């Protein structure tokens, strides 16, 4: 890193043997390498969290609430048969008693009485049958039974003419249910914690931000390169802590760690503490990243680059940096208190000891709400870049977007209470509801500006642009469905239901992740110097779009119809929608797999990327693809705005390919 | 007004049928629904408008090779001000409308019946005004789900508390939800519509008691799910209940029916006496296997050993749990079984209360403390704790 | 980043070259300070959580707070405040000496600062925590004056980690059953007290380590009029620790 | 946020060269000034302790408590002055890039938002209870309940005559509720149809406390001592609000 020796090779250039390379990457202070390391770490965590999500979706394919169910396909009216309160010998197909220790002779089979009303109409299949023991009370079945079930009449002892082809499934007794639910709870906690703390929060800033923020500013590096590396190691340490809790048996607190549940569950185990400490440690990584970016933006802009000459991505990352610095320490002390509380049994949050669980929620959401904007703001920044570059159009309302970023960052600190409308005092709920709507204004302004930018542009549809449009679609839905949640009367119904789940997935996944993937495609040629297969990537994007909407739009319906979130099981009427949602999640998986293969193919056999494949005007397109070790051969000078497409030929582009109309230049002169 | 049109749409349109599984079952919930459907149309209009513009412009202004986009405005202040102000106005309106509906949901009317609801891992229980708990339950899968009868067209206010971790009381059909904490009360109220048969969940009650069944035979009812909406652990998803709305008169009949075994302490004591004690002990001074209960409270009785013992709480308690410890003169050889494990503390206290009412030296001695005093302040079920001195001891 | 040339005999600070990605050394210094102020922000908000808990619980349960503060000895707190203030002064003065090139006097002051920090932690541990946990030095703690040593010793230090029966095994460790409380919310007071002061003490210790590192580096001649970013930053950290204590002291010891 | 405000930043001079980029040496605060600040700080430390002592003395003098905010306001304003001194001189904010001061200002703003909004919720609960209490009656007004209350009242009137009977009824009614409050109920004591008057959030569930009598006495003393403070909870039941 000494200023003495300059290497003019690409930053990806090999440093010798394998171990030399590993050592080089492990000790690098180059923001590009750190960005790439972050990128792969985050993608790995995304994979882990995704697996947990799929497991959750599979669990929700069917409700386990109905423990013993079989499909009756009798020839006789089953109604009569079952109503007669017969004793049944339940046998396997080969005639041996099925699980005879559990289902002894004399076990009564009784229809689900409510089914009687259905019986007259359509009891050909799908009748639910409870298997009761002699006391008429406990369900004793614990196994999955498949095969035919014969039902005998206890009076005559003869088998009735009717055969019921039965399929018993589910894990029927309460302990088994609890065990199953327990696994489910651990899975969704894992999914939530990984996706929030380890994927979405660091996703854009720590990977793409790290790589491109100094490039866009024309700087050689971030302000504190060694802190930057440290933040990556902290990230890895925190992730190891959090993920090691799975190895120890998993955590079932939910990613929100609400007290008193989180302070009392698994009281004898250290794993909850591990998960909490993991989140705590990850906070430091987040703080260091944000702090680094703020100082970089303040101090390391290229000569001639004023605040309003910065690309809007930088503005967005800068705004989210402010939130990271101001909000993260509060989650730090919260989690610290939680750990104290678990270990030494202090009672700040535990009502049994005089504390206040609602205080915990305030502590928690004071961080966790602003951090929602840490997640989405850089995503919005990416979208701004994508739309401007791929429309070759001056962004509409530059200052409005820049100030909207800052405005969102500011307002984010005074709206956290909308997560707590069902637990807050009425005065506070009213105030927070009113303030919550403030967030909608800068957000709406941004969306209008993006759509406005398309007007009279010169728009190419490729994967990044497709993702920008997908973002506009999904994020608009996510934003608009925030309205019923901010509205007090409707939130009382929708709070903690699948409506909320769908809403924040539309914002977090439909917003941040879509922008993230779009951004990766957009900057892929710059980062790795290779082009990717456009058609295949677009196929992936379409699959992701379809899968995403199928998965999550159904969940809006589920929520409005009253399906609470974090349920391992549910009442039957929700099953259809859950099945649709699960199907959607697999389409989503297919989309991601396509993307993965596109990336791998590009790295292995991609065509060499030009320095400026899309015709961008910001500084990163000035550098080589991939950039050399110190970014630029000569320090760039800011001579035009980041989006002056109508008057400036993009770097590395032939003016013949970009014939700027004379009237544009004339207008620019007068401007 | 366009508002009105939207509300009308919200009432009957196909979209509200798609969104809402069933019509709301309370007035305030209907207000919530119309608010929601209003918001839905509001969102649809904006969304379709934005997406249509986006798609249209993307197609219209697609890139043509070798041409550069014409110079266009980088900003337009009036337009930007307009699209800041207009949404703001809408948002103000939305806030106030939501606030209005919400206030109605949280402030209970003065004539509401108050009940206590307790959430614990993982069940709900409600104490009715007469101190009884609902004996009704239905079996869903492996779990008995409690069935709570509630009067129709009558405001019911629940005072709620959790026993362990946080829970949330959520009745989707009423569109209400409120968290429960340990150690602190929260409140919620509703006034359910009369059952019209449109809402039936596939559940049935296993009412254990005949008289309960009798009280409700032929009565129309409507069931509503009660869910726990705040994550509370392993059986969070099994923590359900059923709110069964019946006409008010049927509800009152049912309430009387389930009172058996509950009620004021003295009434409970009397019921226990009927079931367990009346075969040996009379209450009218008549002779039987055991001593009569009339006028023993507060009097001294001679024991088999010749010792005189004042009949007080501790004596009665001892006699119930360990009958052979002190035997009243004249009743030697009568082996009263121990009721330890048969009667719980609450029931023993109830028996004591009942015995008091039978004595001229008991509470009747002080006319201020007649039997079932609790009932007069509307709080049956607040029995004296065992081991604690009764608050109304005459001395 | 420094470039060291072995043939150069000037002191290290004269040979300092700023990091290659900075344009000037002044900017690097400014940037470092800006970054560190941002870091101090996070520290303030970290303690902000404790202050928030303090404010809320004090408003809800003034009785417990009144009683709690009466059980603390303001004299020990006052001495500690003075100790920290003096150490803050020596820290500031050592920066001055570095700026004017009197390195050895600066080191002397740095060492004094560390000793003050050590004194602070010792007083805290010996005169405040230990008596409350064990009953040792009970005569030092007015709150323990009327309490027998045996009773206090029964709730030993390890009671802190004891699993107590009742309330789902969640009753506070004996640390919080400080035998003289009348108010049922006393455990909350002690929670806030211990969490606040212990996290603060942890910061004092971290600050001492930072300053010690600076002291060592100053000995090697790393810092001088030309370059003293490290000293400045350690100083900022130390002052912040002082700043927090300026608020903790009256809140815990004086306000009732 | 206002990092972008034109006052703090000159677009033409993004690196603030005019502020401090030009001089290699930064502000040097001399030892005399530092010593002065130290003496002032020590004085203020003395002052804040003295203030607390004087307050106790004055309370003894006037034989009653001073308003609750007096000692908070006194101690906190001194602490604020002290911290400003430390930040301005020791931490050199006064001579530094104004950006650092702005950052600090934002920090304290965020902290204030945090505490104030949390306070609005957690300390504002009973306000709304009081508002609600106007249309809420103890035990509800359900017929099932009120009929029995009426019957009891009638009985009392019958037995003691109109005046005395009513008084007796009210006395018993109150005694019932009062006894309930006192009954240091066990955690399962979730009796129907009664709000236990809650002290803070925890009611009587915390039994870490000493004997009941002592507790009650302390509570009473405390409530007397701090009129208008949070200790005086609104009884959610409205009518029976006399304390023990």
């Amino acid at each position: 890193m000494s200023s003495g020796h300059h290497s003019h090779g690409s930053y990806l250039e090999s440093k010798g043997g394998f171990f030399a390379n590993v050592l080089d990457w492990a000790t690098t202070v180059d923001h590009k390498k750190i960005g790439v390391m972050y990128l792969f770490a985050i993608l790995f965590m995304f994979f882990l969290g995704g697996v947990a999500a799929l497991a959750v979706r599979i669990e929700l394919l069917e409700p386990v609430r109905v423990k013993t169910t079989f499909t009756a396909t009798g020839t006789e009216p089953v109604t009569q048969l079952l109503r007669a309160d017969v004793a049944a010998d339940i046998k396997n197909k080969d005639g041996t008693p099925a699980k005879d220790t559990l289902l002894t002779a004399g076990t009564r089979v009784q229809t689900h009485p409510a089914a009687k009303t259905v019986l007259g109409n359509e009891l050909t299949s799908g009748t639910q049958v409870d298997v009761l023991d002699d006391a008429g009370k406990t369900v004793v079945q614990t196994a999955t039974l498949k095969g035919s079930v014969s039902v005998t009449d206890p009076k005559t002892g003869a088998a009735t003419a009717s055969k019921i082809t039965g399929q018993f499934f589910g894990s029927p007794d309460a302990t088994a249910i609890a065990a199953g639910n327990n696994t489910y709870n651990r899975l969704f906690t894992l999914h939530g914690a990984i996706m929030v703390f380890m994927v979405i929060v660091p996703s854009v800033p720590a990977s793409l931000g790290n790589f491109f923020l100094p490039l866009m500013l024309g700087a050689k590096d971030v302000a504190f390169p060694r802190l930057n590396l440290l933040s990556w190691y902290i990230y890895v340490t925190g992730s190891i802590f959090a993920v090691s809790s799975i190895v120890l048996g998993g955590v079932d607190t939910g990613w929100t760690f609400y007290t008193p549940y989180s302070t009392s569950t698994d009281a004898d185990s250290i794993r909850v503490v591990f998960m909490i400490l993991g989140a705590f440690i990850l906070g430091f990584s987040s703080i260091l990243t944000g702090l680094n970016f703020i100082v970089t933006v303040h101090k390391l802009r290229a000569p001639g680059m004023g605040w309003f000459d910065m690309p809007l991505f930088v503005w967005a990352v800068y705004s989210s940096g402010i939130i990271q610095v101001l909000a993260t320490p509060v989650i730090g002390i919260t989690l610290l208190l939680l750990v104290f509380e678990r270990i030494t049994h202090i009672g700040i949050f535990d009502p049994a000891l005089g504390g206040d669980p609602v205080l915990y929620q305030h502590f928690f959401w004071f961080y966790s709400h602003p951090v929602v904007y840490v997640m989405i703001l850089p995503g919005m920044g990416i979208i701004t870049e994508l739309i401007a570059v791929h429309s070759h159009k001056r962004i509409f309302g530059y200052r409005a977007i820049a100030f909207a970023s800052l405005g969102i960052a500011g307002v984010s600190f005074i709206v956290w209470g909308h997560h707590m409308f069902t637990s807050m005092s009425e005065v506070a709920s009213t105030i927070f509801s009113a303030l919550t709507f403030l967030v909608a204004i800068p957000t709406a302004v941004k969306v209008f500006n993006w759509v406005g930018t398309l007007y009279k542009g010169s728009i190419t549809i490729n994967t990044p642009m497709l993702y920008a449009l997908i973002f506009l679609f999904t994020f608009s839905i996510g934003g608009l469905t925030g309205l019923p949640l901010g509205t007090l009367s409707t939130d009382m119904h929708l709070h903690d239901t699948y409506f909320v789940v769908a809403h924040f997935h539309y914002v977090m996944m439909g917003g941040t992740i879509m922008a993230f993937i779009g951004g990766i495609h957009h900057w892929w040629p710059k980062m790795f110097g290779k082009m990717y297969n456009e058609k295949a990537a677009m196929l992936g994007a379409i699959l992701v779009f379809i899968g995403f909407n199928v998965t999550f739009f159904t969940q809006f319906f589920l929520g409005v119809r009253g399906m609470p979130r974090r349920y391992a099981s549910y009442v039957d009427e929700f099953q259809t929608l859950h099945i649709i949602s699960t199907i959607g999640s697999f389409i989503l998986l297919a989309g991601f797999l396509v993307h993965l293969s596109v990336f791998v193919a590009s790295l292995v056999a991609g065509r060499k990327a030009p320095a400026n494949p899309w015709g961008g005007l910001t500084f990163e397109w000035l550098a080589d693809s991939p950039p050399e070790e110190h970014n630029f051969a000569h320090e760039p000078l800011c001579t035009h705005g980041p989006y002056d497409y109508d008057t400036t030929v993009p770097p590395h582009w032939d003016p013949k390919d970009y014939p700027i109309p004379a009237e544009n230049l004339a207008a620019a002169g007068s401007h | 007004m366009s508002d009105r049109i939207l509300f009308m749409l919200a009432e009957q349109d196909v979209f509200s049928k798609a969104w809402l599984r069933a019509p709301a079952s309370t007035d305030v919930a209907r207000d919530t629904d119309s608010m929601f459907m209003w918001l839905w149309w509001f969102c649809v209009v904006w969304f379709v408008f934005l997406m249509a513009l986006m798609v249209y412009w993307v197609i219209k202004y697609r890139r043509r090779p070798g041409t550069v986009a014409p110079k266009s405005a980088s900003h337009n202040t009036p337009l930007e001000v307009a699209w800041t102000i207009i949404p703001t106005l809408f948002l103000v309106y939305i806030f106030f409308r939501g606030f209005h509906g919400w206030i109605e949901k949280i402030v209970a009317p003065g004539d509401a019946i108050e009940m206590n609801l307790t959430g614990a891992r993982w069940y709900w229980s409600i104490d009715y005004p007469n101190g009884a708990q609902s004996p009704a339950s239905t079996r869903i899968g492996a779990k008995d789900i409690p069935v709570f009868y509630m009067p129709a067209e009558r405001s019911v206010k629940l005072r709620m508390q959790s026993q362990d971790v946080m829970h949330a009381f959520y009745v989707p059909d009423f569109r209400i939800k409120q968290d429960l904490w340990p150690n602190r009360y929260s409140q919620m109220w509703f006034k359910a519509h009369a059952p019209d048969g449109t809402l039936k969940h596939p559940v049935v009650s296993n009412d254990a008691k005949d008289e309960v069944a009798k009280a409700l035979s032929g009565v129309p009812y409507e069931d509503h799910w009660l869910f726990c909406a705040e994550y509370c652990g392993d059986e969070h998803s099994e923590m359900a209940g059923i709110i069964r709305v019946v006409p008010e008169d049927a509800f009152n009949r049912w309430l009387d029916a389930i009172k058996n075994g509950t009620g004021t302490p003295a009434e409970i004591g009397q019921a226990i006496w009927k079931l367990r004690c009346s075969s040996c002990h009379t209450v009218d001074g008549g002779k039987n296997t055991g001593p009569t209960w009339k006028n023993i409270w507060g009097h001294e009785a001679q024991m088999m050993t010749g010792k005189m013992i004042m009949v007080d709480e501790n004596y009665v308690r001892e006699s119930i749990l360990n009958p052979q410890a002190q035997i009243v003169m004249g009743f030697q050889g009568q082996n009263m079984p121990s009721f330890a494990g048969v009667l719980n503390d609450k029931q023993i206290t109830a028996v004591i209360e009942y015995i008091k009412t039978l004595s001229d030296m008991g509470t009747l001695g002080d006319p201020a403390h007649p039997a079932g005093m609790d009932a007069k302040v509307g709080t049956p079920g607040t029995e004296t704790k065992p081991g604690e001195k009764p608050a109304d001891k005459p001395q | 980043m420094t470039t060291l040339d072995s043939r150069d005999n000037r002191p290290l600070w004269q040979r300092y070259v700023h990091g290659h990605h900075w344009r000037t050394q002044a900017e690097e210094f400014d940037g470092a300070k800006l970054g560190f102020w941002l870091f101090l922000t996070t520290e303030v908000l970290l303690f902000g959580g404790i202050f928030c808990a303090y404010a809320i619980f004090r408003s809800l349960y003034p009785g417990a707070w009144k009683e709690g503060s009466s059980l603390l000895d303001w004299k020990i707190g006052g001495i500690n405040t003075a100790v920290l203030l003096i150490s803050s002064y020596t820290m500031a003065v050592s920066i001055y000496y570095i700026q004017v090139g009197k390195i050895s006097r600066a080191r002397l002051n740095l060492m004094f600062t560390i000793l003050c920090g050590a004194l602070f932690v010792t007083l805290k541990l010996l005169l405040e925590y230990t008596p409350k946990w064990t009953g040792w030095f009970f005569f030092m703690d007015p709150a323990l004056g009327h309490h027998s040593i045996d009773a206090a010793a029964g709730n030993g230090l390890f009671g802190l980690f004891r699993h107590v029966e009742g309330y789902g095994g969640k009753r506070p460790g004996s640390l919080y059953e400080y035998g003289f409380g009348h108010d049922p919310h006393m455990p909350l007071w002690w929670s806030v007290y211990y969490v606040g002061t212990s996290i603060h003490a942890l910061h004092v210790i971290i600050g001492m380590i930072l300053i010690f590192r600076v002291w060592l580096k100053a000995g090697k001649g790393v810092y001088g009029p030309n370059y003293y970013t490290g000293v400045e930053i350690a100083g900022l950290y130390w002052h912040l620790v002082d700043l927090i204590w300026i608020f903790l002291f009256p809140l815990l010891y004086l306000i009732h | 946020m206002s990092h972008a405000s034109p006052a703090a930043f000159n677009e033409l001079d993004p690196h603030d060269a005019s502020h401090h980029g030009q001089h290699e040496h930064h502000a040097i605060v001399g030892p005399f000034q530092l010593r002065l600040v130290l003496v002032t700080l020590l004085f203020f430390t003395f002052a804040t302790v003295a203030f607390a002592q004087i307050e106790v003395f004055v309370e003894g003098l006037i034989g009653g408590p001073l308003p609750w905010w007096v000692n908070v306001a006194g101690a906190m304003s001194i602490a604020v002055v002290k911290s400003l001194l430390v930040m301005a001189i020791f931490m050199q904010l006064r001579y530094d890039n104004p950006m650092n001061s702005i950052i600090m200002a934002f920090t304290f703003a965020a902290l204030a938002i945090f505490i104030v909004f949390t306070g609005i919720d957690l300390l504002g609960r009973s306000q709304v209870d009081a508002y609600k209490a106007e249309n809420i009656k103890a035990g509800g007004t359900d017929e099932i309940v009120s009929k029995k209350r009426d019957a009891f009242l009638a009985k009392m009137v019958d037995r003691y005559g109109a005046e005395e009977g009513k008084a007796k009824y009210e006395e018993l009614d109150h005694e019932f509720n009062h006894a309930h409050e006192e009954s240091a109920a066990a955690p399962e004591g979730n009796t129907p149809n009664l709000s236990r008057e809650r002290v803070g959030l925890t009611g009587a569930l915390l039994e870490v406390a000493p004997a009941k009598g002592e507790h009650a006495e302390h509570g009473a003393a405390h409530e007397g001592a701090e009129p208008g403070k949070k200790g005086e909870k609104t009884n959610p039941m409205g009518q029976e609000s006399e304390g023990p």
Side-chain angles (χ1 to χ4, degrees), chain B residues 84-115:
Chain B
T84 310
I85 300 285
I86 293 172
T88 309
L89 294 177
F90 273 111
L91 293 175
V92 170
Y93 172 75
I94 293 170
F95 164 73
F96 276 106
R97 207 168 123 60
F99 175 72
H100 182 258
W102 174 74
I103 276 290
E104 279 186 23
K105 275 188 189 174
I106 58 166
V107 179
D111 62 346
I113 310 175
E114 291 196 20
M115 301 178 190

Side-chain angles (χ1 to χ4, degrees), chain A residues 564-583:
Chain A
R565 65 192 281 211
R566 294 177 168 181
Y567 263 29
S569 179
Y570 46 82
V571 289
D572 302 346
E573 62 198 65
F574 297 131
Q575 195 179 6
T576 319
L577 288 168
H578 272 298
I579 290 174
I580 295 172
S581 182
T582 304
I583 291 170

Side-chain angles (χ1 to χ4, degrees), chain A residues 542-563:
Chain A
I542 289 165
L543 279 177
V544 166
F545 176 70
I546 294 170
F548 175 83
N549 283 294
V550 171
T551 308
F552 293 108
F553 205 82
T554 40
Q555 297 185 359
F556 284 122
F557 287 97
L558 276 172
V560 178
R561 290 165 179 219
M563 165 87 201

Side-chain angles (χ1 to χ4, degrees), chain B residues 74-247:
Chain B
S74 68
H75 63 101
N76 181 333
T77 311
L79 183 62
E80 288 178 60
V81 169
W83 73 34
T84 310
I85 300 285
I86 293 172
T88 309
L89 294 177
F90 273 111
L91 293 175
V92 170
Y93 172 75
I94 293 170
F95 164 73
F96 276 106
R97 207 168 123 60
F99 175 72
H100 182 258
W102 174 74
I103 276 290
E104 279 186 23
K105 275 188 189 174
I106 58 166
V107 179
D111 62 346
I113 310 175
E114 291 196 20
M115 301 178 190
N116 265 18
L117 176 134
T118 308
R121 280 189 282 182
W122 289 275
Y123 62 88
W124 301 98
S125 73
I126 288 182
D127 295 313
Y128 285 97
N130 63 355
Q133 293 200 341
S134 173
S137 70
T138 186
R139 195 171 186 81
I140 310 264
K143 209 169 151 79
D144 282 317
I145 304 290
V147 178
F148 301 120
Y149 285 84
M150 288 292 163
E153 301 296 352
R154 188 85 164 83
S155 303
V156 173
K157 185 178 147 198
L158 296 171
R159 185 183 294 112
M160 310 191 289
Q161 202 183 15
S162 159
Q163 300 267 343
D164 33 47
V165 299
M166 285 172 63
H167 303 282
F169 172 82
Y170 177 35
V171 184
D173 291 343
F174 299 161
R175 319 280 192 257
I176 54 173
K177 185 181 291 118
Q178 173 64 46
D179 284 9
L180 278 69
W181 302 276
N183 239 341
R184 197 180 132 206
Y185 291 113
S186 51
Q187 292 157 353
M188 185 44 63
W189 79 281
F190 57 85
K191 183 178 179 180
H193 288 157
D196 60 2
T198 53
L199 254 189
K200 283 241 170 52
H201 294 285
V203 292
V204 76
S205 152
N206 288 347
D207 285 338
K209 295 175 189 247
D210 289 344
E211 59 263 48
V212 174
K214 227 181 291 160
L216 291 171
S217 67
V219 165
Y221 67 88
E222 200 161 294
D223 280 348
H224 308 283
W225 282 113
L226 156 61
F227 292 133
C228 172
E230 186 67 63
Y231 174 65
C232 58
D234 286 353
E235 289 180 47
H236 172 49
S237 55
E238 326 293 320
M239 188 172 163
I242 288 157
I243 302 247
R244 175 164 297 168
V245 176
V246 293

